[in-house]
Amino acid sequence: MKRRHFAALAASSAAALAAGPARAAWPERPVTMIVAFPPGGGTDVAARTLARFLERELGQSVVVLNRAGAGGEIGWAEMARAQPDGYTIGFINTPNIVSIPIERQARYRLEDFAPVANVVDDPGAFLVPPDSRFRTLPDLVAFAKANPDTVTYGTTGIGSDDHLAALAFERLAGVRMTHVPFAGAAPVRNAILGRQIMVASMNVGEGINDMRQDQLRALGQMATERWAEAPDTPTFREQGFDVVQGSMRGLAAPAGVPAPVLERLAAATRAVMEDAEFRRLASQQALPLRYLAPPEYRATLSALREELQSLWRAHPWKE
Protein backbone atom coordinates (compact mmCIF):
# COMPACT_ATOMS: atom_id res chain seq x y z
CA MET A 1 0.00 0.00 0.00
CA LYS A 2 2.83 2.36 0.92
CA ARG A 3 4.60 1.65 -2.36
CA ARG A 4 1.40 2.34 -4.33
CA HIS A 5 0.84 5.55 -2.32
CA PHE A 6 4.37 6.81 -2.99
CA ALA A 7 4.04 5.90 -6.68
CA ALA A 8 0.80 7.88 -6.95
CA LEU A 9 2.41 10.89 -5.24
CA ALA A 10 5.39 10.71 -7.58
CA ALA A 11 3.15 10.51 -10.63
CA SER A 12 1.05 13.48 -9.57
CA SER A 13 4.16 15.53 -8.79
CA ALA A 14 5.64 14.71 -12.18
CA ALA A 15 2.41 15.73 -13.90
CA ALA A 16 2.36 19.02 -12.01
CA LEU A 17 5.96 19.74 -12.96
CA ALA A 18 5.26 18.90 -16.60
CA ALA A 19 2.25 21.19 -16.69
CA GLY A 20 4.21 24.05 -15.16
CA PRO A 21 2.66 26.96 -13.27
CA ALA A 22 -0.97 27.82 -14.08
CA ARG A 23 -1.39 30.58 -16.67
CA ALA A 24 -2.77 33.73 -15.08
CA ALA A 25 -6.00 35.11 -16.43
CA TRP A 26 -5.59 37.85 -19.07
CA PRO A 27 -5.28 40.79 -18.59
CA GLU A 28 -2.97 41.17 -15.60
CA ARG A 29 -1.76 44.66 -16.54
CA PRO A 30 -2.80 47.69 -18.64
CA VAL A 31 -3.56 47.23 -22.34
CA THR A 32 -2.22 49.61 -25.00
CA MET A 33 -4.55 50.59 -27.84
CA ILE A 34 -2.71 52.02 -30.86
CA VAL A 35 -4.55 54.62 -32.95
CA ALA A 36 -2.82 55.21 -36.28
CA PHE A 37 -4.21 58.74 -36.69
CA PRO A 38 -3.82 62.05 -34.82
CA PRO A 39 -5.85 63.02 -31.75
CA GLY A 40 -9.22 64.61 -32.43
CA GLY A 41 -10.29 62.69 -35.53
CA GLY A 42 -13.17 60.24 -35.81
CA THR A 43 -10.99 57.20 -35.16
CA ASP A 44 -9.39 58.77 -32.10
CA VAL A 45 -12.74 59.82 -30.64
CA ALA A 46 -14.24 56.36 -31.16
CA ALA A 47 -11.14 54.65 -29.73
CA ARG A 48 -11.02 56.76 -26.58
CA THR A 49 -14.73 56.32 -25.93
CA LEU A 50 -14.48 52.56 -26.43
CA ALA A 51 -11.35 52.35 -24.25
CA ARG A 52 -13.15 53.87 -21.25
CA PHE A 53 -15.84 51.19 -21.36
CA LEU A 54 -13.43 48.34 -22.14
CA GLU A 55 -11.64 49.18 -18.90
CA ARG A 56 -14.81 48.26 -17.02
CA GLU A 57 -15.17 44.98 -18.90
CA LEU A 58 -11.50 43.96 -18.66
CA GLY A 59 -10.70 45.29 -15.20
CA GLN A 60 -7.53 46.99 -16.45
CA SER A 61 -6.59 50.37 -17.88
CA VAL A 62 -6.71 50.71 -21.67
CA VAL A 63 -4.20 53.36 -22.74
CA VAL A 64 -4.69 55.00 -26.16
CA LEU A 65 -1.43 55.67 -28.00
CA ASN A 66 -1.52 57.83 -31.16
CA ARG A 67 0.97 56.82 -33.84
CA ALA A 68 -0.06 58.91 -36.83
CA GLY A 69 1.45 59.12 -40.29
CA ALA A 70 1.65 57.54 -43.75
CA GLY A 71 -2.12 57.04 -43.94
CA GLY A 72 -2.08 54.75 -40.92
CA GLU A 73 0.93 52.63 -41.89
CA ILE A 74 3.15 53.83 -39.04
CA GLY A 75 0.73 52.82 -36.32
CA TRP A 76 -0.29 49.56 -37.97
CA ALA A 77 3.31 48.54 -38.59
CA GLU A 78 4.00 49.09 -34.90
CA MET A 79 1.01 46.97 -33.96
CA ALA A 80 2.05 44.22 -36.38
CA ARG A 81 5.47 44.01 -34.68
CA ALA A 82 4.04 43.89 -31.15
CA GLN A 83 3.97 40.75 -29.04
CA PRO A 84 0.76 38.77 -29.74
CA ASP A 85 -0.13 38.55 -26.06
CA GLY A 86 -3.20 40.78 -26.04
CA TYR A 87 -1.49 43.67 -24.30
CA THR A 88 -1.16 45.63 -27.55
CA ILE A 89 -4.28 46.08 -29.63
CA GLY A 90 -5.35 48.84 -32.00
CA PHE A 91 -7.94 50.38 -34.23
CA ILE A 92 -7.82 49.53 -37.93
CA ASN A 93 -9.59 51.53 -40.63
CA THR A 94 -10.89 50.59 -44.03
CA PRO A 95 -9.92 50.95 -46.71
CA ASN A 96 -6.43 52.06 -45.62
CA ILE A 97 -5.62 48.85 -43.77
CA VAL A 98 -6.00 46.91 -47.03
CA SER A 99 -5.29 49.60 -49.64
CA ILE A 100 -1.80 50.56 -48.41
CA PRO A 101 -0.19 47.15 -49.06
CA ILE A 102 -1.81 47.16 -52.52
CA GLU A 103 -0.43 50.53 -53.58
CA ARG A 104 3.08 50.23 -52.16
CA GLN A 105 5.57 48.05 -50.31
CA ALA A 106 4.12 48.32 -46.82
CA ARG A 107 5.61 47.32 -43.47
CA TYR A 108 2.66 45.08 -42.68
CA ARG A 109 0.18 42.70 -44.33
CA LEU A 110 -3.45 42.08 -43.52
CA GLU A 111 -2.36 38.64 -42.33
CA ASP A 112 -0.30 40.34 -39.59
CA PHE A 113 -3.53 41.09 -37.70
CA ALA A 114 -6.22 39.15 -35.89
CA PRO A 115 -9.47 41.11 -36.37
CA VAL A 116 -11.31 41.40 -33.05
CA ALA A 117 -14.53 43.31 -33.77
CA ASN A 118 -15.77 46.06 -36.04
CA VAL A 119 -17.21 49.02 -34.13
CA VAL A 120 -18.07 51.89 -36.52
CA ASP A 121 -19.20 52.12 -40.15
CA ASP A 122 -19.15 55.80 -41.11
CA PRO A 123 -20.27 56.98 -44.59
CA GLY A 124 -18.18 59.48 -46.52
CA ALA A 125 -19.22 62.99 -47.54
CA PHE A 126 -18.07 66.13 -49.36
CA LEU A 127 -18.13 69.10 -46.97
CA VAL A 128 -17.66 72.79 -47.74
CA PRO A 129 -17.79 76.07 -45.78
CA PRO A 130 -21.31 77.49 -45.46
CA ASP A 131 -20.51 80.35 -47.85
CA SER A 132 -19.06 78.06 -50.54
CA ARG A 133 -20.12 78.66 -54.14
CA PHE A 134 -21.06 74.96 -54.25
CA ARG A 135 -24.59 74.23 -53.02
CA THR A 136 -24.95 70.79 -54.60
CA LEU A 137 -22.78 68.16 -56.28
CA PRO A 138 -23.94 69.34 -59.75
CA ASP A 139 -22.68 72.83 -58.81
CA LEU A 140 -19.28 71.33 -58.00
CA VAL A 141 -19.23 69.36 -61.26
CA ALA A 142 -20.14 72.40 -63.37
CA PHE A 143 -17.35 74.48 -61.85
CA ALA A 144 -14.79 71.65 -62.03
CA LYS A 145 -15.55 71.04 -65.71
CA ALA A 146 -15.09 74.72 -66.50
CA ASN A 147 -11.96 74.94 -64.34
CA PRO A 148 -9.99 71.66 -64.50
CA ASP A 149 -7.65 70.98 -61.53
CA THR A 150 -8.82 74.16 -59.76
CA VAL A 151 -10.95 72.50 -57.08
CA THR A 152 -8.76 71.41 -54.17
CA TYR A 153 -10.00 68.66 -51.89
CA GLY A 154 -8.48 67.32 -48.70
CA THR A 155 -8.43 63.71 -47.51
CA THR A 156 -6.80 61.61 -44.81
CA GLY A 157 -4.22 60.36 -47.30
CA ILE A 158 -3.57 58.53 -50.56
CA GLY A 159 -5.63 55.34 -50.72
CA SER A 160 -7.93 56.38 -47.86
CA ASP A 161 -11.69 55.94 -48.18
CA ASP A 162 -11.94 59.71 -48.65
CA HIS A 163 -9.44 59.62 -51.51
CA LEU A 164 -10.90 56.58 -53.27
CA ALA A 165 -14.36 58.14 -53.04
CA ALA A 166 -13.15 61.39 -54.61
CA LEU A 167 -11.43 59.47 -57.42
CA ALA A 168 -14.62 57.52 -58.08
CA PHE A 169 -16.58 60.78 -58.16
CA GLU A 170 -14.09 62.32 -60.61
CA ARG A 171 -14.43 59.34 -62.95
CA LEU A 172 -18.23 59.35 -62.83
CA ALA A 173 -18.52 63.13 -63.25
CA GLY A 174 -15.76 63.46 -65.84
CA VAL A 175 -13.86 66.12 -63.89
CA ARG A 176 -10.33 66.67 -62.60
CA MET A 177 -9.69 68.04 -59.12
CA THR A 178 -6.48 68.52 -57.12
CA HIS A 179 -5.86 66.18 -54.20
CA VAL A 180 -4.36 67.54 -50.95
CA PRO A 181 -3.56 64.65 -48.55
CA PHE A 182 -3.32 65.14 -44.78
CA ALA A 183 -2.29 62.91 -41.86
CA GLY A 184 -5.82 62.60 -40.46
CA ALA A 185 -9.34 63.98 -40.27
CA ALA A 186 -8.50 66.71 -37.75
CA PRO A 187 -6.03 68.45 -40.09
CA VAL A 188 -8.51 68.12 -42.96
CA ARG A 189 -11.13 69.81 -40.80
CA ASN A 190 -8.72 72.60 -39.89
CA ALA A 191 -7.86 73.11 -43.55
CA ILE A 192 -11.46 73.41 -44.72
CA LEU A 193 -12.41 75.70 -41.83
CA GLY A 194 -9.36 77.83 -42.65
CA ARG A 195 -10.33 77.96 -46.37
CA GLN A 196 -7.02 76.32 -47.33
CA ILE A 197 -8.94 73.78 -49.44
CA MET A 198 -12.26 74.08 -51.26
CA VAL A 199 -13.76 70.69 -50.37
CA ALA A 200 -13.19 68.25 -47.51
CA SER A 201 -13.70 64.62 -48.39
CA MET A 202 -14.29 63.08 -44.96
CA ASN A 203 -16.74 60.94 -43.03
CA VAL A 204 -20.13 62.29 -42.00
CA GLY A 205 -19.50 61.37 -38.38
CA GLU A 206 -16.35 63.48 -38.41
CA GLY A 207 -18.15 66.54 -39.75
CA ILE A 208 -21.60 66.26 -38.19
CA ASN A 209 -20.90 68.55 -35.23
CA ASP A 210 -19.62 71.31 -37.54
CA MET A 211 -22.67 70.75 -39.73
CA ARG A 212 -24.96 71.14 -36.72
CA GLN A 213 -23.21 74.40 -35.78
CA ASP A 214 -23.36 75.72 -39.38
CA GLN A 215 -19.58 75.77 -39.68
CA LEU A 216 -19.64 73.25 -42.52
CA ARG A 217 -22.22 72.14 -45.05
CA ALA A 218 -22.41 68.71 -46.70
CA LEU A 219 -22.93 68.54 -50.46
CA GLY A 220 -23.82 64.87 -50.18
CA GLN A 221 -23.28 61.69 -48.17
CA MET A 222 -21.98 58.45 -49.63
CA ALA A 223 -24.40 56.07 -47.94
CA THR A 224 -27.00 53.87 -49.61
CA GLU A 225 -29.65 55.93 -47.80
CA ARG A 226 -29.66 59.08 -45.71
CA TRP A 227 -28.15 58.56 -42.27
CA ALA A 228 -30.58 59.42 -39.48
CA GLU A 229 -28.11 61.90 -37.97
CA ALA A 230 -27.97 63.85 -41.26
CA PRO A 231 -31.49 63.53 -42.70
CA ASP A 232 -31.31 66.76 -44.73
CA THR A 233 -28.17 65.74 -46.62
CA PRO A 234 -28.96 63.90 -49.87
CA THR A 235 -26.92 60.89 -50.89
CA PHE A 236 -24.60 60.97 -53.88
CA ARG A 237 -26.92 58.50 -55.59
CA GLU A 238 -29.87 60.86 -55.15
CA GLN A 239 -27.88 63.47 -57.07
CA GLY A 240 -26.95 61.12 -59.90
CA PHE A 241 -23.54 59.85 -58.76
CA ASP A 242 -23.30 56.19 -57.78
CA VAL A 243 -20.66 56.56 -55.08
CA VAL A 244 -21.06 54.50 -51.90
CA GLN A 245 -18.02 54.71 -49.66
CA GLY A 246 -17.16 54.96 -46.01
CA SER A 247 -14.79 53.87 -43.29
CA MET A 248 -15.18 50.87 -41.05
CA ARG A 249 -13.25 51.17 -37.80
CA GLY A 250 -12.68 48.32 -35.45
CA LEU A 251 -10.30 46.54 -33.12
CA ALA A 252 -7.52 44.16 -34.08
CA ALA A 253 -4.61 42.48 -32.33
CA PRO A 254 -1.30 41.16 -33.67
CA ALA A 255 -1.68 37.83 -35.46
CA GLY A 256 -1.06 34.88 -33.21
CA VAL A 257 -2.89 36.26 -30.20
CA PRO A 258 -4.19 33.33 -28.12
CA ALA A 259 -7.75 32.31 -28.98
CA PRO A 260 -9.06 32.84 -25.42
CA VAL A 261 -7.70 36.39 -25.42
CA LEU A 262 -9.24 37.11 -28.82
CA GLU A 263 -12.58 35.75 -27.63
CA ARG A 264 -12.40 37.78 -24.41
CA LEU A 265 -11.66 40.97 -26.37
CA ALA A 266 -14.48 40.35 -28.83
CA ALA A 267 -16.96 39.57 -26.06
CA ALA A 268 -15.89 42.65 -24.10
CA THR A 269 -16.29 44.85 -27.20
CA ARG A 270 -19.75 43.47 -27.90
CA ALA A 271 -20.77 44.05 -24.28
CA VAL A 272 -19.60 47.65 -24.51
CA MET A 273 -21.51 48.23 -27.75
CA GLU A 274 -24.69 46.92 -26.10
CA ASP A 275 -24.20 49.19 -23.07
CA ALA A 276 -26.88 51.92 -22.94
CA GLU A 277 -24.47 54.60 -21.74
CA PHE A 278 -21.95 53.80 -24.47
CA ARG A 279 -24.68 53.94 -27.11
CA ARG A 280 -25.83 57.30 -25.75
CA LEU A 281 -22.31 58.70 -26.01
CA ALA A 282 -21.86 57.18 -29.46
CA SER A 283 -25.03 58.94 -30.58
CA GLN A 284 -23.79 62.24 -29.16
CA GLN A 285 -20.50 61.78 -31.01
CA ALA A 286 -22.30 60.70 -34.20
CA LEU A 287 -20.59 57.31 -34.32
CA PRO A 288 -22.57 54.95 -36.59
CA LEU A 289 -22.17 51.63 -34.73
CA ARG A 290 -21.94 48.25 -36.47
CA TYR A 291 -20.63 45.20 -34.62
CA LEU A 292 -18.93 42.39 -36.52
CA ALA A 293 -17.51 39.36 -34.70
CA PRO A 294 -13.99 38.10 -35.58
CA PRO A 295 -14.99 35.66 -38.39
CA GLU A 296 -17.34 38.13 -40.11
CA TYR A 297 -14.89 40.99 -39.67
CA ARG A 298 -12.04 38.98 -41.21
CA ALA A 299 -14.24 37.90 -44.12
CA THR A 300 -15.33 41.50 -44.77
CA LEU A 301 -11.72 42.72 -44.79
CA SER A 302 -10.65 39.92 -47.15
CA ALA A 303 -13.51 40.69 -49.55
CA LEU A 304 -12.61 44.39 -49.53
CA ARG A 305 -9.00 43.54 -50.34
CA GLU A 306 -10.08 41.53 -53.39
CA GLU A 307 -12.28 44.42 -54.53
CA LEU A 308 -9.49 46.98 -54.16
CA GLN A 309 -6.94 44.76 -55.86
CA SER A 310 -9.23 44.63 -58.89
CA LEU A 311 -9.75 48.41 -58.72
CA TRP A 312 -5.99 49.02 -58.50
CA ARG A 313 -5.37 46.95 -61.63
CA ALA A 314 -7.97 49.02 -63.51
CA HIS A 315 -7.52 52.47 -61.96
CA PRO A 316 -4.40 52.84 -59.78
CA TRP A 317 -4.69 55.59 -57.18
CA LYS A 318 -1.32 57.34 -57.02
CA GLU A 319 -1.94 60.98 -56.17
Side-chain angles (χ1 to χ4, degrees):
M1 291 291 294
K2 288 183 178 179
R3 284 196 296 271
R4 286 197 295 272
H5 179 67
F6 288 139
L9 285 175
S12 62
S13 299
L17 288 172
R23 184 186 299 273
W26 178 92
E28 294 182 284
R29 52 187 170 85
V31 175
T32 296
M33 180 189 290
I34 294 176
V35 172
F37 295 93
T43 300
D44 183 68
V45 170
R48 291 180 185 276
T49 303
L50 182 68
R52 287 168 46 199
F53 286 81
L54 278 179
E55 290 179 342
R56 300 182 191 175
E57 296 293 326
L58 300 177
Q60 289 287 349
S61 298
V62 179
V63 181
V64 175
L65 186 64
N66 295 91
R67 289 287 187 263
E73 182 181 355
I74 290 175
W76 295 328
E78 181 172 333
M79 183 166 59
R81 294 192 300 267
Q83 288 293 321
D85 53 12
Y87 289 102
T88 299
I89 60 177
F91 254 58
I92 57 176
N93 304 55
T94 63
N96 307 46
I97 192 70
V98 293
S99 66
I100 288 175
I102 293 173
E103 69 193 25
R104 61 180 184 262
Q105 189 69 38
R107 289 166 285 180
Y108 72 86
R109 303 173 304 151
L110 185 59
E111 288 77 12
D112 291 333
F113 306 105
V116 173
N118 188 65
V119 178
V120 173
D121 194 353
D122 194 354
F126 278 179
L127 295 115
V128 296
D131 58 355
S132 169
R133 67 170 70 220
F134 310 131
R135 308 299 301 180
T136 64
L137 291 177
D139 288 345
L140 173 61
V141 170
F143 181 85
K145 283 186 175 180
N147 303 273
D149 301 314
T150 300
V151 176
T152 55
Y153 68 93
T155 75
T156 53
I158 295 173
S160 65
D161 62 308
D162 316 310
H163 183 217
L164 296 181
L167 291 179
F169 177 75
E170 284 182 296
R171 289 193 298 270
L172 286 172
V175 298
R176 295 200 319 266
M177 303 186 295
T178 298
H179 181 214
V180 184
F182 292 88
V188 175
R189 174 182 178 273
N190 291 337
I192 190 67
L193 291 175
R195 308 307 202 270
Q196 298 165 12
I197 53 177
M198 298 172 71
V199 177
S201 180
M202 56 195 296
N203 298 111
V204 182
E206 295 168 334
I208 191 70
N209 288 331
D210 289 315
M211 291 164 59
R212 289 168 176 166
Q213 296 170 18
D214 295 323
Q215 295 189 65
L216 291 176
R217 180 165 45 80
L219 300 180
Q221 55 181 306
M222 303 172 194
T224 55
E225 57 186 29
R226 298 190 189 195
W227 182 32
E229 298 290 341
D232 297 328
T233 301
T235 66
F236 275 50
R237 282 180 171 176
E238 287 178 70
Q239 299 178 74
F241 305 96
D242 190 12
V243 179
V244 177
Q245 185 63 270
S247 176
M248 295 174 64
R249 306 169 201 152
L251 281 180
V257 65
V261 174
L262 182 67
E263 292 167 4
R264 177 85 189 279
L265 276 168
T269 305
R270 181 160 197 166
V272 168
M273 294 179 65
E274 292 174 349
D275 182 273
E277 177 65 12
F278 175 80
R279 297 185 71 86
R280 184 185 69 81
L281 290 175
S283 178
Q284 285 182 353
Q285 297 167 4
L287 298 176
L289 300 179
R290 181 190 177 197
Y291 176 81
L292 290 178
E296 292 78 16
Y297 195 18
R298 180 179 292 280
T300 299
L301 292 172
S302 297
L304 178 61
R305 178 168 61 179
E306 291 182 11
E307 176 186 335
L308 292 184
Q309 284 172 335
S310 297
L311 178 62
W312 175 261
R313 288 191 290 269
H315 302 285
W317 56 87
K318 297 181 180 179
E319 58 184 28

